[in-house]
Amino acid sequence: GAGVSQTPSNKVTEKGKYVELRCDPISGHTALYWYRQSLGQGPEFLIYFQGTGAADDSGLPNDRFFAVRPEGSVSTLKIQRTERGDSAVYLCASSLGQGNTEAFFGQGTRLTVV
Amino acid sequence: AQKVTQAQTEISVVEKEDVTLDCVYETRDTTYYLFWYKQPPSGELVFLIRRNSFDEQNEISGRYSWNFQKSTSSFNFTITASQVVDSAVYFCALSEARRGSYKLIFGSGTRLLVRP
């Protein structure tokens, strides 16, 4: 597709379970970002990839959160031992990188932890 | 520290009215970028504009215009002759280059409701 694709669009999981959220960026975009948006708030930065490496993971809230991008394209955000406070919309964005600042966002994955 | 403040939580106007959304930012850097994004009910963030810190010229795009003033650290957004389709949450954001990352720091958003 032409835009950033995120799957699933909705995920309901029980407290304590493990979840994976997937992001498929725009083809050719080397930079990939994950954000988290709680209800009524602006998105908050989680992690930035340039190619395969996580260049900035300063936004990850704790060690239950981890993300990978093994081939420099698709990225997976992984959350272990989910808590009710993890419920939010997780947004992925990509950009051309190399100094290009315009990021294109996916439609997000709404995670609900019950 | 970097911060973006959108003091207006919600604005309601009648169609065809002009409306201005305020954005105030804080940064210690001299090189930075400012953005506006629109988030309609579908949830996807739509890019509207990017401004770099060295370009203070105001910009107009159709019914949209932006006023960037470094002296007051503000980057306000005006919609002229608003339409019902403009109803959405609007976010102002700040970006600085850190180790090649242009991560965005968002404000809390302003919900705009345009009534027919």
Side-chain angles (χ1 to χ4, degrees):
Chain A
V4 177
S5 176
Q6 292 187 246
T7 54
S9 54
N10 277 285
K11 175 73 177 176
V12 180
T13 190
E14 291 181 349
K15 179 175 176 294
K17 299 286 189 185
Y18 167 82
V19 296
E20 290 189 352
L21 312 179
R22 176 188 167 109
C23 173
D24 203 334
I26 294 172
S27 178
H29 281 194
T30 60
L32 186 145
Y33 301 81
W34 282 99
Y35 292 84
R36 178 169 72 172
Q37 186 175 21
S38 300
L39 193 63
Q41 299 296 317
E44 292 179 302
F45 169 77
L46 295 176
I47 188 169
Y48 158 66
F49 286 90
Q50 179 58 46
T52 60
D56 183 357
D57 64 357
S58 61
L60 294 178
N62 52 60
D63 61 7
R64 295 187 298 106
F65 288 74
F66 189 70
V68 295
R69 195 186 185 198
E71 296 178 0
S73 178
V74 171
S75 176
T76 305
L77 178 65
K78 308 181 181 196
I79 310 174
Q80 298 178 320
R81 305 184 304 281
T82 51
E83 299 177 357
R84 292 199 178 87
D86 298 334
S87 297
V89 176
Y90 289 81
L91 295 165
C92 178
S94 70
S95 74
L96 283 169
Q98 297 177 341
N100 189 294
T101 59
E102 183 176 341
F104 295 85
F105 282 80
Q107 79 282 12
T109 293
R110 182 176 298 279
L111 176 66
T112 304
V113 182
V114 297
Chain B
Q2 311 92 23
K3 185 178 176 183
V4 176
T5 301
Q6 295 180 255
Q8 304 151 308
T9 306
E10 187 166 324
I11 301 175
S12 180
V13 299
V14 176
E15 203 170 20
K16 297 183 184 169
E17 283 185 18
D18 298 347
V19 58
T20 295
L21 310 181
D22 297 334
C23 173
V24 174
Y25 63 92
E26 294 176 31
T27 178
R28 291 188 203 135
D29 281 15
T30 55
T31 302
Y32 53 89
Y33 298 84
L34 295 165
F35 299 77
W36 277 94
Y37 280 86
K38 175 181 180 180
Q39 189 173 45
S42 61
E44 189 167 334
L45 282 161
V46 177
F47 168 84
L48 295 178
I49 190 172
R50 173 186 58 222
R51 221 57 187 144
N52 75 53
S53 52
F54 299 108
D55 183 1
E56 283 193 75
Q57 279 194 342
N58 292 332
E59 182 156 339
I60 298 174
S61 176
R63 297 184 297 107
Y64 296 170
S65 62
W66 291 269
N67 184 329
F68 176 28
Q69 292 196 340
K70 287 177 78 169
S71 61
T72 56
S73 297
S74 65
F75 186 44
N76 296 338
F77 173 32
T78 297
I79 302 174
T80 303
S82 59
Q83 299 176 1
V84 172
V85 293
D86 296 328
S87 297
V89 181
Y90 290 85
F91 291 98
C92 180
L94 167 71
S95 176
E96 302 161 340
R98 288 279 187 271
R99 293 179 284 171
S101 166
Y102 288 91
K103 67 183 182 187
L104 293 163
I105 298 156
F106 286 86
S108 54
T110 297
R111 180 178 299 277
L112 175 64
L113 175 63
V114 182
R115 296 170 279 127

